[in-house]
Structures are given as structure tokens and as C-alpha cells.
Amino acid sequence: SQKIEQNSEALNIQEGKTATLTCNYTNYSPAYLQWYRQDPGRGPVFLLLIRENEKEKRKERLKVTFDTTLKQSLFHITASQPADSATYLCALGTGNTGKLIFGQGTTLQVKP
Amino acid sequence: DAGVIQSPRHEVTEMGQEVTLRCKPISGHNSLFWYRQTMMRGLELLIYFNNNVPIDDSGMPEDRFSAKMPNASFSTLKIQPSEPRDSAVYFCASGRDRARLNYGYTFGSGTRLTVV
């Protein structure tokens, strides 16, 4: 069956370090992958999109990689700050339908 | 731009009652999505529309759920009759047709539904 897996355990890191979050998927052939941030009581907010033919995408302190052979995306936040503390969701899009399927999310806690 | 507007923010209702959730997408966005979020199941896609037409409703749990989009600026999700297991946060999201290539989707603040 189709599955998107993100680490369900919270990730705790020290301010200034690099946070790395993982998104693995099975039985999907995504055309693109997106990462969202969600704060408590709020809706998800779009961060980055990477297409199947792209290996890496960067935006300020954020970096996303996409390995279609490993069926995995890594999301990095460099020089992390307490304000980066939130839940991060990966989402897969297939074909041209616009349909977006989300993983469960990983909660990041950055300690000062 | 006011973003995606959902109402109500909170809804508490008794089992068996009809519940209607409302969404106003961002002007110019022609894709609209309804998601449901719970701790156990995460964000689940219920239904999505493109140019006001339902494209995929395979995520709608059962016949008690229905969604409409009578025009480009308004959508409703109705649950009739409601059950306690429907308790969740319901999100509406909108995007441009090609948003998936660059901009992602914009989510509303959600409606927290509690069925007692």
C-alpha cells in the first residue's frame, strides 16, 4: 500500500545546529514533493517545492533534497533558531492532478 | 489579500446534528481542497475541486459527508448526521492550477469540530 513516513518522534536540537528531517515514501511515483510548516492551532504554510528531476533546492536557511531512487526527501534547516520550532510536513504530488498527500509530520524543537 | 477564510473557527455540536463548514478561497485560485486533521491519522485529503468541479472525492469517508462549490469564491463541507468520530480540525486550502510547480497551496486557519 502507499505510505509516506516521517519520523513521529520529536527532534530536539540546540540553537545554531542543523536540523535534518526525513520523509520516506513507498508505492508512490511523485512528480513533486513539498514541505510545509505547521504551528499549533494554525494551518500548514508552504515552504519549498522540489520536482522529481531536481536533486536539491535551497531557500535561505532551508535546503531540500529529493532522491527518487531511495524514495526519500531530506529537509535541512541550517543555523536553527528557537523560532524554527514547529511541525514540518512533507507532501507528495502525483501526475497533473494537483492532488497532494501529506505525511504525519515531524515536530522540531530548537532549544536556546 | 485576506487569505483562505474558513468559518466557523470552532463548532461544537451534538451527535446526529447537521454541520456545515464554509470556505472562501483566495481570489484567482482555481483549485480548492478540503482536508481533515487528527492526531491519529494526520492530514487526510477529503475532496478537491478544480474550476469548481469535483475532481477526486475518494477521501470522503462515507455518504454522510458532502461538499459543494457553487462558484469560484465559496465552498461548503457538510456532515449529516454528525458522529463523535468526525471530531477533527477541518482545513480548506486553495491554489492556482499550476501552483504545485512553484507556490504550493494556501491553507485556512481551520475549523475545529467537536461532536459530543
Side-chain angles (χ1 to χ4, degrees):
Chain A
S1 63
Q2 294 178 318
K3 196 183 293 186
I4 303 171
E5 289 183 331
Q6 295 185 254
N7 195 340
S8 57
E9 289 185 16
L11 178 63
N12 295 297
I13 64 168
Q14 206 65 37
E15 182 177 7
K17 301 292 187 184
T18 296
T20 299
L21 285 70
T22 305
C23 176
N24 295 300
Y25 59 92
T26 54
N27 295 322
Y28 277 108
S29 294
Y32 56 93
L33 189 148
Q34 300 183 6
W35 283 87
Y36 286 77
R37 168 184 172 142
Q38 186 173 25
D39 292 285
R42 312 288 290 269
V45 174
F46 172 73
L47 295 174
L48 277 170
L49 178 148
I50 187 165
R51 299 180 182 82
E52 60 179 334
N53 61 349
E54 297 176 318
K55 296 286 188 198
E56 182 179 298
K57 192 72 93 55
R58 292 176 185 260
K59 179 183 174 183
E60 298 171 355
R61 294 185 296 112
L62 308 180
K63 184 178 85 170
V64 173
T65 62
F66 194 9
D67 189 325
T68 54
T69 301
L70 291 179
K71 296 186 183 299
Q72 180 181 78
S73 174
L74 298 178
F75 177 79
H76 306 271
I77 306 175
T78 59
S80 59
Q81 305 165 0
D84 295 325
S85 299
T87 296
Y88 292 86
L89 301 152
C90 72
L92 272 60
T94 55
N96 290 316
T97 65
K99 187 173 180 175
L100 204 58
I101 306 300
F102 282 82
Q104 293 268 57
T106 298
T107 297
L108 171 67
Q109 187 72 34
V110 181
K111 299 183 189 298
Chain B
D1 187 351
V4 175
I5 299 173
Q6 291 187 246
S7 64
R9 283 300 309 273
H10 303 275
E11 176 82 35
V12 180
T13 190
E14 290 185 349
M15 182 173 64
Q17 297 297 306
E18 176 181 296
V19 175
T20 299
L21 311 181
R22 297 173 175 80
C23 175
K24 177 178 168 54
I26 290 174
S27 177
H29 283 188
N30 56 2
S31 293
L32 184 139
F33 305 81
W34 283 100
Y35 284 88
R36 176 173 69 176
Q37 188 173 39
T38 60
M39 287 292 291
M40 287 296 295
R41 301 173 69 92
L43 258 177
E44 299 175 278
L45 177 63
L46 301 177
I47 185 170
Y48 75 96
F49 297 82
N50 189 256
N51 293 323
N52 311 338
V53 176
I55 303 300
D56 186 339
D57 65 354
S58 59
M60 296 286 261
E62 47 199 271
D63 292 346
R64 297 185 297 106
F65 285 68
S66 62
K68 292 182 180 179
M69 192 164 186
N71 56 62
S73 59
F74 185 65
S75 177
T76 59
L77 178 69
K78 185 178 293 187
I79 308 173
Q80 164 65 18
S82 57
E83 296 182 3
R85 60 192 167 122
D86 302 330
S87 298
V89 180
Y90 290 80
F91 287 105
C92 175
S94 72
R96 297 184 195 279
D97 212 4
R98 306 293 285 177
R100 59 189 176 277
L101 295 182
N102 287 303
Y103 304 114
Y105 297 129
T106 303
F107 280 75
S109 297
T111 294
R112 182 174 294 278
L113 174 65
T114 303
V115 183
V116 297

